[in-house]
């Protein structure tokens, strides 16, 4: 059994798992083999995801080079990033009126058509996008319990949108925040270090 599984893995089948018959040395060896194969499969998936993300960054760069207007840049930024993250809703918001206001310049939805009720608001309000702009730091909210706890005044709006998780990232040039992008998810998320690096890289590309 272990020999046939080893041969299958050698041919590239990383779904193979050897059956453990006894809790003896062969059984322990088989268990170690199965663990090794699962690690190989995970590494292969991570490599595939990394290559896909590099391709997405290249596609966004190419799209920016073809944009003729600022509005097209807004659309590319929010649409391409939202698609890459598979979010339900994505928005791009810019600082205006000397920093006192935040205005949503564009948004994109996936799935049921939903629209944010807020199009302009004070930069002093407590929201994910305003805080990411204010502190020049990305914000990652993994689940709705965390979301409602941190932003209780927005609970009804998030419930209306069906939002359970949020990412907000500032758009920075040097030390100045031009605005931010936010992405909303209908299910709880678990953002890995690789996920966060990719999202930050996208925001830098967009800025």
């Amino acid at each position: 059994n272990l020999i046939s599984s080893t041969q299958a893995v050698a041919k590239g089948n990383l779904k193979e798992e050897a059956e453990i018959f006894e809790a003896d040395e062969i059984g322990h060896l088989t268990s170690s083999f199965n663990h090794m194969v699962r690690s190989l499969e995970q590494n292969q998936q991570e490599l595939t995801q990394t290559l896909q993300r590099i391709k997405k960054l290249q596609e966004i760069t190419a799209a920016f080079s073809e944009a003729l207007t600022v509005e097209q840049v807004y659309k590319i930024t929010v649409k391409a990033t939202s698609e890459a993250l598979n979010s339900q809703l994505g928005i791009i918001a810019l600082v205006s009126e000397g920093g006192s206001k935040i205005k949503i310049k564009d948004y994109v939805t996936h799935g049921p058509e939903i629209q944010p009720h807020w199009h302009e608001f004070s930069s002093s309000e407590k929201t994910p996008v305003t805080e990411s702009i204010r502190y020049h730091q990305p914000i990652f909210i993994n689940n709705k319990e965390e979301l409602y706890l941190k932003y209780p005044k927005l609970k009804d709006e998030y419930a209306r949108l069906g939002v359970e998780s949020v990412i907000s990232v500032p758009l920075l040039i040097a030390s100045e925040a031009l605005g931010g992008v936010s992405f909303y998810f209908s299910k709880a998320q678990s953002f890995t270090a690789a996920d966060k690096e990719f999202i930050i890289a996208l925001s830098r590309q967009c800025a």
Side-chain angles (χ1 to χ4, degrees), residues 102-128:
I102 303 293
K103 290 185 178 181
I104 294 180
K105 304 302 292 186
D106 205 347
Y107 70 92
V108 63
T109 64
H110 301 285
E113 182 65 23
I114 55 174
Q115 296 184 12
H117 282 168
W118 15 266
H119 297 284
E120 178 179 306
F121 42 92
S122 170
S123 60
S124 64
E125 289 190 28
K126 186 177 174 64
T127 72

Side-chain angles (χ1 to χ4, degrees), residues 129-193:
V129 70
T130 53
E131 290 196 326
S132 70
I133 293 170
R134 188 180 306 132
Y135 300 117
H136 293 194
Q137 293 290 331
I139 291 174
F140 298 91
I141 306 292
N142 294 306
N143 53 64
K144 65 180 180 181
E145 290 78 17
E146 183 183 354
L147 185 64
Y148 293 170
L149 181 63
K150 191 165 186 178
Y151 304 103
K153 290 184 178 180
L154 297 175
K155 180 178 178 179
D156 291 344
E157 178 68 355
Y158 288 145
R160 181 186 73 83
L161 295 172
V163 169
E164 294 195 6
S165 181
V166 177
I167 298 171
S168 283
V169 186
L171 298 175
L172 302 175
I173 293 184
S175 60
E176 181 182 359
L178 303 180
V181 287
S182 290
F183 302 96
Y184 303 83
F185 301 85
S186 59
K187 294 181 180 179
Q189 303 291 312
S190 180
F191 302 110
T192 65

